[in-house]
Amino acid sequence: MNQEELGAKQTAKLKQLKDQVIVITGASSGIGLVTARMAAAKGAKLVLAARNEAALKELTEELQQAGHEAVYVRADVGMEDDVNMIAQTALKSFGCFDTWVNNAGVAIYGNAMDVSYQDMKRLFATNYWGVVYGSRTAVNHYRDRGVPGALINMGSVFGDRGTPIQSIYATSKFAIHGWTESLRMELEKEKASVSITLIHPGMIDTPYNEHARSYLEYQPVHKGMIYPPEAVAEAILYAASHPKRDIYVGSQAKMFQLLGANFPRLTDKLWEGISLRTQYDEKRKSNSPEESNLYHAGYGMHERGTNLGWKRKRSIFVKAAKHPVLTRIIVTGISVWAVLKMKRNS
């Protein structure tokens, strides 16, 4: 266990999932939907929030019929009053909550100089202000209760590294990363019993592309290496009961972070060359603006999207984050083996 994780464990001893009440925003599709189903299967009580009330009702009934405890609240996280309503629903239904997952998000595909200011502001209302409202609500609740709790914010590979075409989305994720790191330091300084985790997903196979507001001629998609939403849900639920600073989902997420930090100009040129063809499907015309979920709820109850490429079954990075000691032993063993082999061959 490294010093970072040791310090986190000392300040926030979190409950097991089966004993938790978990709030999940953006629960009607994609990562939020998968996380809700997996959390319920592990025995957690759930407070599900999204703008799509019909999908929330269907999901809640599905979970309740399977013997799980769940309630829902229709809410737009871009509105502070709606976020307060989510918390009040949790308190009324279960008396408290133990983990708050800021998962809700919207996307825009379009060049920075083309996207309207109105669309930019709407995206930031959900992606940034929704996280701020949720973070402060969760932290205040944990402070008031005087017991440890977890706050889990959804970052992105594009929060570590900018990108063409999704420049506005990337900017909102940069803001989330900065907010999360700053809030974590302030709470750590005051020794608050709050575990704050930032999730860094790579390309995930969800309806993200179908829901996005698009300025492109062709339909947005993820291409190349794509990870399942279950891998992100696994990371979220691990962080809910084990204090972690950051969890990367997919090797591409960590690779982009490392390349961008150490070789920024090279990374610029590489990504400029490949980003365009990995973000849309030239065989399909783009959805109309009215079909996006930027200003209203998108369709719900879909875990996967219509993405193209190599669809992975899991993320090794998430597995490594869950078993840090074993991972270090394996890496050390491989390193020693490599050094000995080099010596024998020299």
Side-chain angles (χ1 to χ4, degrees):
M1 183 185 301
N2 58 32
Q3 289 299 311
E4 170 192 307
E5 290 169 344
L6 178 61
K9 288 182 181 295
Q10 289 173 338
T11 57
K13 184 173 177 58
L14 304 175
K15 295 179 181 178
Q16 296 181 40
L17 288 176
K18 66 181 181 62
D19 300 319
Q20 286 202 28
V21 176
I22 301 179
V23 174
I24 303 173
T25 69
S28 61
S29 69
I31 292 169
L33 174 60
V34 173
T35 303
R37 285 169 168 160
M38 287 176 60
K42 293 180 179 296
K45 301 178 180 67
L46 300 178
V47 181
L48 308 173
R51 291 174 295 171
N52 189 328
E53 185 169 8
L56 288 175
K57 182 179 180 181
E58 181 179 345
L59 174 59
T60 301
E61 290 176 349
E62 169 196 315
L63 297 178
Q64 290 175 343
Q65 288 172 6
H68 307 302
E69 294 187 63
V71 296
Y72 75 86
V73 52
R74 182 190 178 280
D76 182 339
V77 297
M79 301 176 66
E80 184 180 3
D81 288 345
D82 279 21
V83 175
N84 291 334
M85 184 169 58
I86 298 171
Q88 289 303 314
T89 300
L91 296 179
K92 181 179 179 181
S93 301
F94 302 114
C96 69
F97 57 86
D98 304 288
T99 294
W100 185 290
V101 182
N102 280 316
N103 168 71
V106 294
I108 297 175
Y109 282 74
N111 292 320
M113 298 301 291
D114 296 335
V115 178
S116 72
Y117 292 135
Q118 181 180 351
D119 284 355
M120 290 184 186
K121 291 176 181 178
R122 177 57 206 174
L123 180 143
F124 262 79
T126 299
N127 289 14
Y128 176 70
W129 285 107
V131 170
V132 172
Y133 297 147
S135 297
R136 291 177 61 156
T137 298
V139 170
N140 284 332
H141 176 67
Y142 302 146
R143 279 172 167 169
D144 291 343
R145 288 179 66 201
V147 298
L151 170 64
I152 301 171
N153 290 342
M154 190 61 60
S156 170
V157 58
F158 293 141
D160 291 311
R161 181 67 198 168
T163 180
I165 298 183
Q166 294 190 65
S167 50
I168 312 308
Y169 176 81
T171 304
S172 72
K173 292 299 182 177
F174 266 83
I176 290 169
H177 287 209
W179 163 261
T180 303
E181 291 182 359
S182 301
L183 178 62
R184 182 191 290 117
M185 287 189 289
E186 291 178 357
L187 294 176
E188 185 175 55
K189 191 172 187 301
E190 71 176 56
K191 301 188 185 321
S193 294
V194 182
S195 170
I196 301 182
T197 301
L198 182 64
I199 308 293
H200 304 246
M203 308 303 179
I204 308 300
D205 187 17
T206 70
Y208 169 95
N209 60 308
E210 298 287 347
H211 287 161
R213 164 70 169 98
S214 177
Y215 283 72
L216 308 180
E217 177 182 1
Y218 299 113
Q219 177 60 34
V221 296
H222 292 325
K223 290 183 179 178
M225 190 180 297
I226 307 168
Y227 291 86
E230 287 82 0
V232 187
E234 182 181 6
I236 290 170
L237 296 181
Y238 183 76
S241 54
H242 301 81
K244 295 287 291 186
R245 176 188 174 88
D246 300 273
I247 302 181
Y248 290 83
V249 183
S251 57
Q252 63 194 196
K254 188 61 178 177
M255 178 190 71
F256 262 67
Q257 187 269 328
L258 289 173
L259 284 175
N262 294 285
F263 308 100
R265 184 61 180 148
L266 174 62
T267 307
D268 285 350
K269 300 303 290 185
L270 287 173
W271 193 232
E272 287 166 17
I274 66 175
S275 65
L276 296 179
R277 63 177 180 269
T278 65
Q279 297 192 60
Y280 63 81
D281 179 6
E282 62 277 1
K283 296 181 180 179
R284 289 189 290 160
K285 291 294 183 181
S286 185
N287 290 338
S288 68
E290 292 74 24
E291 294 178 88
S292 80
N293 71 349
L294 189 59
Y295 292 96
H296 56 77
Y299 63 85
M301 298 303 289
H302 285 244
E303 295 182 351
R304 304 298 181 101
T306 57
N307 298 294
L308 306 172
W310 179 23
K311 297 183 179 181
R312 304 294 303 277
K313 294 182 178 180
R314 64 186 63 85
S315 167
I316 294 175
F317 268 81
V318 174
K319 301 296 184 185
K322 293 173 65 175
H323 305 285
V325 175
L326 179 60
T327 300
R328 291 190 186 95
I329 292 172
I330 293 172
V331 171
T332 301
I334 292 173
S335 300
V336 171
W337 173 82
V339 170
L340 293 175
K341 187 175 179 64
M342 289 174 62
K343 286 183 176 181
R344 284 199 298 269
N345 294 335
S346 62

